[in-house]
Structures are given as structure tokens and as C-alpha cells.
Amino acid sequence: MYTQSFSVPDDADAKSGLKAVPKATSENEAALMAQFDARIAADGRIEPRDWMPDAYRKTLVRQISQHAHSEIVGMLPEGNWISRAPSLKRKCILIAKVQDEGGHGLYLYSAAETLGTSRDDMLEALHSGRAKYSSIFNYPTLNWADVGVIGWLVDGAAIMNQIPLCRCSYGPYARAMVRVCKEESFHQRQGYEALLVMMKGSQAQRDMVQDAVNRTWWKCLAMFGPSDKDSLHSSQGMKWGIKRISNDDLRQKFIDATVPQAEVLGVTLPDPDLKWNAERGHYDHGEIDWDEFWQTVNGNGPMNRERLATRVKAHDDGAWVREAALAHAEKQRQRAMKEAA
């Protein structure tokens, strides 16, 4: 999932902590809180004009904006390969995929705006380094196999995280995720198909795929966030119906689904402790290097500075387009007012 926000607060939240759910200060607020709790308990949807606790709103803004940031920063590792794709077919597929990711960011920024935040504020938080995004995008794409592995493993992990969000208690987020998940499913399949083609090629191609899997596997497992006992705010998020399945359970579902796919593909997953546990009915797996995860989250990964600098440059270079669009909208508004007069 590109949503590590239950485990990874933004810098401002890391210093102050999430605002606790406040106790009702009046009979009216107590009644509103009771209505909110009843709707959540009934698995209902909260809509933008509905009353909600400040902490619920703040949690959603952080999670949805982090998710949006991850989508647009996630365009960079693959966008770098558009001009170097091995065929016209692969180039068209990759262009469509990168375009999809940009669209996902727009859906999610729009959903966050319904909570009272602004697009400019969210982007300023990202560009200043205060806001976080998924740690997985702070690693380099060294060759074409990395592009396929991103589709298979990274987008596969994202889908596992995002499908439960289609049942999120906040309506605009849940509805946006329905379309996002459909498109991510395409991304996962095209990545896997690209790897299948490579695995039928030369030994050098097969080695390239195996190397990409070796470098990506553990980072994908970390995408689900720390173990449940170490995850910040997950329990509250689950009580609110924002988060539906725990980090450890999502990670286990991903491993169980991916091992058979790896066998068909013909690659080895780089975990000597990975084995089927008949008693549990799941695969056991080794320990994740959480030190590396936190180093990357805190800005010290291989590509953190480059990714952010590239994102800021793209935003600055596009300033004239935004200014032109605003000027055109103002011209249209003035013309409409003149005609109405």
C-alpha cells in the first residue's frame, strides 16, 4: 500500500503525536459523537458534510495525502524507463501505467480536499520534506527487470493493501479506491507478464529478473508497515473503519499469494526461512530489516533526495501551465459576468 501513515507519521505529527479523540464538551457534541460512533459501528459511510471528530479528520488527511504523494512520486522510478523500453509495445504499456499513477494522485488529492485541506498545502508539505510517502520509491530502477518487478511485487503489495480501503468508512476515499484498485490490478498483471517473457529469454535475462527480485522482495514486505505490536495508531484506525486488516495479516496474505506466482515464474524468493507451515496453513518467513526501513523513511535511503528534488523541479517547471489555466479560468469568469450583465 502506498499508505504507511498508521505507522509513519509526518514530521509534524512525529513531534507532537496524533491528537487524541477529544471528550465531548457539550450535550450537542456528545450527541454528534454518538451518531458518528453508531454509523461506524453499523459499517456506514462518513461523508464530507457529516460531523466527524477532529482526530478522525486529521488521520484521514495524513493517510490520504501520504497515499497521493506516493502515487505521484511512484511515477518517477518507471518514468525514467519510458525512453528506454525494449519495444514499442512495452513503451505504450509503461506510458499508460505512469499516466494511471498520476491520475491516482489526482483522485486522492481531491478526496483529501473534501476534508478541508488544500492541494497547495499538501504539495508544500511534500516538497518541504515534512510529509512522507512510501519508502519503496526511494530505491533505484537499475534495469528493465526492475520495471517488471515493480509491477508484480510493488503493485501486488499495493493491491493487497488497497482492496480493503474500498470499504473505508470515509466515502470519498473508498470510492476513489475502487477505480484505483482496478487499474492497479492491470499494473500487476502487465508487470508479471513482462517478467514471464524475460524468463523465457536468455540466461542473462533470467539472471536480471532474479537479481531484481532479490533486491525488491524484502522492501515489499516492509511496505505493509511494522509488526502490529509496533504500529502507531493502527488499532484506532481499525476502530474507525479506516483500516480493515492489520499489517501482519496483510503481509501474510501477500506472501501466501506470491509464493505460487514465483514458482510459476521460475524465480527464488530470497528468504531461506520461507517455508509452508501446514499447522498454520500459511508460509513462515524470515525477519525484515526494520533498521533499513526506518532509515529510508527518515530520508536516508539511496534515492530520497533525488526523488524529492525531481518532484520539486517538475512542479516548478509546470508553474506556467497552472498560471495559464488560472488566467484562462478568470477570463472565462469575467466574460460570463459581462454577458450576464
Side-chain angles (χ1 to χ4, degrees):
M1 154 172 103
Y2 309 148
T3 51
Q4 296 170 340
S5 56
F6 283 114
S7 308
V8 182
D10 291 340
D11 285 350
D13 293 320
K15 295 175 183 176
S16 61
L18 259 184
K19 185 187 295 184
V21 180
K23 294 183 179 179
T25 56
S26 66
E27 289 186 9
N28 181 56
E29 189 169 323
L32 291 170
M33 190 69 184
Q35 292 174 8
F36 173 85
D37 289 340
R39 184 172 297 180
I40 295 294
D43 206 21
R45 288 274 173 84
I46 305 300
E47 298 296 340
R49 294 187 180 182
D50 295 335
W51 183 91
M52 64 189 76
D54 286 344
Y56 176 82
R57 185 186 302 274
K58 183 176 181 180
T59 296
L60 282 167
V61 168
R62 189 185 65 254
Q63 173 161 332
I64 299 171
S65 63
Q66 279 192 21
H67 193 166
H69 299 332
S70 299
E71 296 285 355
I72 61 171
V73 175
M75 299 165 68
L76 302 178
E78 294 172 300
N80 185 42
W81 278 90
I82 289 174
S83 63
R84 296 179 286 166
S87 69
L88 180 59
K89 172 186 174 181
R90 297 297 172 191
K91 181 175 291 192
C92 290
I93 291 172
L94 190 56
I95 289 172
K97 181 183 179 185
V98 172
Q99 179 177 275
D100 284 349
E101 305 294 4
H104 297 172
L106 294 178
Y107 306 154
L108 294 166
Y109 284 131
S110 296
E113 285 176 319
T114 66
L115 291 157
T117 189
S118 75
R119 187 83 51 100
D120 288 342
D121 287 345
M122 288 184 280
L123 290 175
E124 193 280 327
L126 171 65
H127 296 162
S128 67
R130 291 186 293 110
K132 304 298 185 185
Y133 57 85
S134 183
S135 62
I136 194 69
F137 300 122
N138 289 313
Y139 293 91
T141 44
L142 302 179
N143 53 55
W144 180 252
D146 285 276
V147 176
V149 168
I150 287 173
W152 174 38
L153 294 181
V154 176
D155 292 330
I159 293 167
M160 196 66 69
N161 267 301
Q162 291 171 349
I163 286 175
L165 291 174
C166 295
R167 298 186 291 115
C168 171
S169 60
Y170 188 60
Y173 192 22
R175 290 188 287 272
M177 290 313 303
V178 172
R179 179 166 180 174
V180 170
C181 285
K182 289 179 179 178
E183 293 177 351
E184 291 289 1
S185 295
F186 160 76
H187 300 166
Q188 195 270 349
R189 289 195 296 272
Q190 69 85 19
Y192 190 70
E193 186 270 340
L195 296 178
L196 282 171
V197 171
M198 291 188 71
M199 290 300 289
K200 295 176 182 177
S202 67
Q203 185 60 49
Q205 288 176 303
R206 292 191 289 274
D207 291 344
M208 194 182 296
V209 173
Q210 183 63 63
D211 175 64
V213 170
N214 291 345
R215 287 184 285 105
T216 308
W217 174 250
W218 290 104
K219 299 171 182 61
C220 279
L221 296 190
M223 283 176 65
F224 296 93
S227 180
D228 296 337
K229 60 182 176 60
D230 300 319
S231 181
L232 300 173
H233 318 303
S234 280
S235 60
Q236 183 61 68
M238 294 184 77
K239 289 177 182 177
W240 277 330
I242 301 172
K243 186 180 179 75
R244 295 288 182 170
I245 304 175
S246 73
N247 294 352
D248 288 336
D249 287 345
L250 284 168
R251 187 166 19 248
Q252 186 68 68
K253 284 168 65 69
F254 173 71
I255 293 170
D256 291 346
T258 305
V259 171
Q261 296 172 6
E263 292 173 352
V264 172
L265 190 58
V267 298
T268 301
L269 298 176
D271 181 358
D273 297 322
L274 187 65
K275 59 182 178 181
W276 178 253
N277 186 322
E279 184 176 344
R280 291 199 313 121
H282 297 287
Y283 283 93
D284 293 334
H285 61 89
E287 288 296 318
I288 298 167
D289 184 354
W290 292 113
D291 288 340
E292 179 187 358
F293 172 79
W294 288 114
Q295 281 289 319
T296 305
V297 166
N298 291 324
N300 300 313
M303 302 287 288
N304 286 67
R305 292 172 181 81
E306 181 176 334
R307 293 283 188 247
L308 196 55
T310 302
R311 180 58 232 163
V312 171
K313 182 179 184 301
H315 184 75
D316 291 345
D317 289 349
W320 70 272
V321 179
R322 297 190 298 276
E323 292 167 2
L326 289 172
H328 178 71
E330 177 61 20
K331 183 178 180 180
Q332 294 293 96
R333 189 184 71 83
Q334 293 289 349
R335 180 179 296 172
M337 290 178 62
K338 185 176 180 180
E339 292 176 352

